[in-house]
Amino acid sequence: MTTSIPLPLTQFVVKMHSRCDLACDHCYVYEHADSSWRSRPKVIADGILAKAAERIGEHAAAHRLPAVRVVLHGGEPLLAGPDRLRRAAEALRAALPPGCVLDLRIHTNGVLLDRAFCALFAEQDIKVGISLDGDRAANDRHRRFADGRSSHPQVLRAVGLLNEPEHRHLFAGLLCTMDVANDPVAVYRALAELRPPAVDFLLPHATWDEPPARPAALGATPYADWLLTVHRLWETDGRPFAVRTFESVHRTLRGFSSLTESLGLEPSDLAVLETDGTFEQADSLKTAYDGAPVTGMNVFAHSLDDLARHPGIAARQSGLAGLSAACRACSVVRSCGGGLYAHRYRSDDGGGSFDHPSVYCGDLMTFINGIAGSGSPVGVPAQAGEAPRSGAEPLLPGALTPSQLDELARGYGGAETVAALGRSQLALTRAMLAAAWDASGQGRAGAWALLTELDAAAPAAVDAVLAHPYARAWAARRLAGDLPVGLGPLAALAAAAAVRAGRGDAVAVPVRGGRLHLPTLGRIAVPDGEAVVTGRAEGFEVRASDGTVRTLEPTALDEPLRRIRLAGGWTVALEDTDPLRDSHDHPVTDRLSEAELLDWTGALREAWELLGRDLPGYAEGIRAGLTTITPLRPGPTGRDVSSAARQAYGAVGIARPATAPTLALLLAHEFQHVKLGAVLDLTDLYDRADPTLYFAPWRPDPRPLEGLFQGTYAHLAVTEYWGTRTRAYDGLPGPAADRAREQLALWRRYTAEAVERLASSGALTGTGLRFADGMRATVAPWLELPLPAAAEQAADRARQARAGV
């Protein structure tokens, strides 16, 4: 189910002047396939500017945009003169609705920049980006005047103006178009010496018809090698300025959004207004063929909603579904995103299309894998520019083998496979804690420093604490902007690690509500304020804010974390002390009484025996990965309640059901969610930008694709549970046997339908399709199991009742 409302446009390029005072031979406007500039007015008219401002304002109001970005561009926009630039800024700012911020910028070659322009830009709050390709030799390779003179001295003068204290706030950064013939070290050093706030390194525009230069002496992926050399220098220097290309890869490798249209799967939200008032798509399309950016729309006859619905704009907003089959099957597609749309063009495919990998495919693959730190890049094409293989391995090198991935795709996962998931989750927890601490900008340096020190001196103690399911709940909330979640949980993690290490380290921990919580250990009654916890070999000491001191054994807390030992030596914790255990989407219980603890113990022991008998293919993985059960409050009468939290690997939340068989089923069902969440942290199974809502056969409400995927994966275990119980009752009468057959008839059909709905969505990656194949293979034997007609009829009635028929 999709919406007819277009994705709003939030970035606009306004062409102020259609000519340039330089003659750069790599310019996509004047030197590539499109020649429309020849017939356009040199300068944009005031009437067009006024109407453009009106259109942007009404679009911002209709979509309640908090901000829009407008870039004054060209040609060379400074040729339009200061008066016209001022009128443009004033019109744009006046047209925006209250609450919508204007981010106004100008991109210039810098030749004409002077103090008068700088004064205007300060007055109108216009940020300035300068085009510069490096040192003089690098810049002069392409950026010259028509008579061959160097533009480098004028550009350095412009940058010098922007670096003056009164103008520094206007400096947006430098735009550097790469040339692999230029020394990357010299280019980087020349740019870094100018102290820019940001640098964009841009691949030269190219297509399959006009491929980029690849000097044989530089190897198969010279652009990747060039960028990786700069990236190493940038990292060594401590990232002295922002680089969107590098930061976008770092972000997308961790599952976050890209910062640039040339990488990632985020939809493009950019439109261009030419000097004649026509709307065009991205300027980069001028490199594909003459007329490629044309929309047939103009600012007087068409709204920006009309423009957003244009097929060309929509194609750049369709995420994974808009990529070629080869790209959809690629392991790094979330970071690469197929590359810049224009770079995919090829004319010899029966009419010309963008349904191809980027002409820089091999370079992008090598570059992304290089940043990811892979010793042997995953899914690297056989030769530069060739499409990647389908069925590529996960993004995080070494996390899972192909056979382990296939094992998980079938719904299963043995001890080694689930242990590999656990290791990857521990690594992710560490990364999220570091990111959250870095994002905090202040706080308990002692706690963070202690964790860092213990990680080197007593890594097992730190691992034991950070492997606790709710250890990263704090980091997830901080990174999501939940500011009320302070830095206390981080101090508690450090204190718990100090207790386990027993080296005499001390850390201060805030206390609220009269209880000090130590993750993996439990709670202690302590007055509010700040308590100092000191870990010692013979126990640990807590010095409260009122001066009282208690010495405790790690197992002798006031409310220790209680663990239940099950058959075969498996131990699982019943977590009713951690304040962050509320990460599940159901309310948690208070501290269990001794009687409730006994009830849970008996139910879990029986449920574990049933899992080993009825779901042996799942039980081994559950034992290896399920460390914690968080008791939830009961739901409405007759409704079982259970939940898995995406940021709490190793835990499931359950309200203890009436019977042990139901508890066994809930454990298996929820641990499927836990496993799939861990897989999704490693690799993309679907296009995360897909806005479509999908109906699951067992639910009346449509859900995002991840919801359908999660439900389908969980119901593999449900189907097998009822299938094995049906086989156990083979030939036997009775209510229990009838119920097993009816449930199998219901869930095998539901799950099979859901698998096909996923497979036909068009939004699965190559790995996602691999998962769909695995799930289909797991359901298939249960579809073939003969069932009595009465069971099928009962399943039909249940389906109709759920559908409201």
Side-chain angles (χ1 to χ4, degrees), residues 571-619:
T571 300
V572 64
L574 273 180
E575 178 58 88
D576 56 3
T577 64
D578 195 320
L580 294 175
R581 70 189 189 280
D582 62 355
S583 301
H584 300 275
D585 56 4
H586 292 281
V588 298
T589 65
D590 295 326
R591 177 73 168 176
L592 296 177
S593 68
E594 290 300 322
E596 290 170 325
L597 177 63
L598 287 174
D599 289 340
W600 266 104
T601 300
L604 278 171
R605 286 174 175 165
E606 186 178 348
W608 177 234
E609 290 183 10
L610 292 173
L611 283 170
R613 184 193 73 187
D614 294 335
L615 288 175
Y618 294 86

Side-chain angles (χ1 to χ4, degrees), residues 468-542:
H468 180 56
Y470 303 110
R472 82 166 182 241
W474 168 78
R477 296 183 190 187
R478 291 289 294 184
L479 292 172
D482 190 354
L483 296 180
V485 181
L487 299 172
L490 183 69
L493 290 171
V499 171
R500 288 179 171 276
R503 302 188 321 151
D505 301 291
V507 62
V509 185
V511 179
R512 301 289 182 269
R515 289 172 175 171
L516 168 65
H517 174 252
L518 298 177
T520 72
L521 298 173
R523 291 190 301 213
I524 310 164
V526 178
D528 283 2
E530 192 167 74
V532 177
V533 178
T534 304
R536 304 189 189 283
E538 66 277 7
F540 69 100
E541 176 186 285
V542 178

